[in-house]
Amino acid sequence: MHPGFVRAPELLPVPKAADLPAGRLSGKRCVWCGKAATDDLSARVSVVKGELLRWEPRSCLPCLRREAKRVYNTHITVCARCTHRDYCLDSKALFELGFPQ
Ligand SMILES: [Zn+2]
Ligand SMILES: [Zn+2]
């Protein structure tokens, strides 16, 4: 299976929906920095004021790359499937996103 089948943005944790201003919650602005958003992070389901909310966080490219790098660096230290010779699909997808060639 090609690593491209794993959507790396889905693996990135986003800030709590309940704490976000409307622009970041609606996907108009980057969920992390509040600048204009360009990339989808996939739909999330969060609890806001006691109710389930389905929302679609988005991000700017610099934040997307930075978060992919951060999650990748953590992932490879905790993932049981990643060894020095072989990496799991999640890890490959995060690497492609965080460290573009
Ligand atoms: Zn950003
Ligand atoms: Zn892994």
Side-chain angles (χ1 to χ4, degrees), residues 24 29-38 58-64 66:
R24 298 193 198 188
R29 303 202 158 269
C30 172
V31 75
W32 287 293
C33 73
K35 290 191 183 136
T38 53
R58 299 177 76 231
S59 86
C60 67
L61 194 57
C63 285
L64 188 63
R66 186 195 63 231

Side-chain angles (χ1 to χ4, degrees), residues 65-81:
R65 299 248 189 261
R66 186 195 63 231
E67 289 299 306
K69 263 185 212 168
R70 190 178 64 76
V71 173
Y72 172 81
N73 285 331
T74 307
H75 176 98
I76 54 171
T77 66
V78 297
C79 177
R81 291 169 298 163

Side-chain angles (χ1 to χ4, degrees), residues 6-73:
V6 178
R7 289 206 3 104
E10 292 174 8
L11 303 170
L12 306 179
V14 295
K16 275 198 183 124
D19 302 335
L20 293 173
R24 298 193 198 188
L25 198 59
S26 71
K28 222 179 213 172
R29 303 202 158 269
C30 172
V31 75
W32 287 293
C33 73
K35 290 191 183 136
T38 53
D39 290 81
D40 292 332
L41 294 170
S42 78
R44 311 291 165 114
V45 176
S46 306
V47 178
V48 178
K49 292 176 189 146
E51 301 205 1
L52 274 184
L53 171 76
R54 185 184 180 280
W55 59 301
E56 299 185 9
R58 299 177 76 231
S59 86
C60 67
L61 194 57
C63 285
L64 188 63
R65 299 248 189 261
R66 186 195 63 231
E67 289 299 306
K69 263 185 212 168
R70 190 178 64 76
V71 173
Y72 172 81
N73 285 331

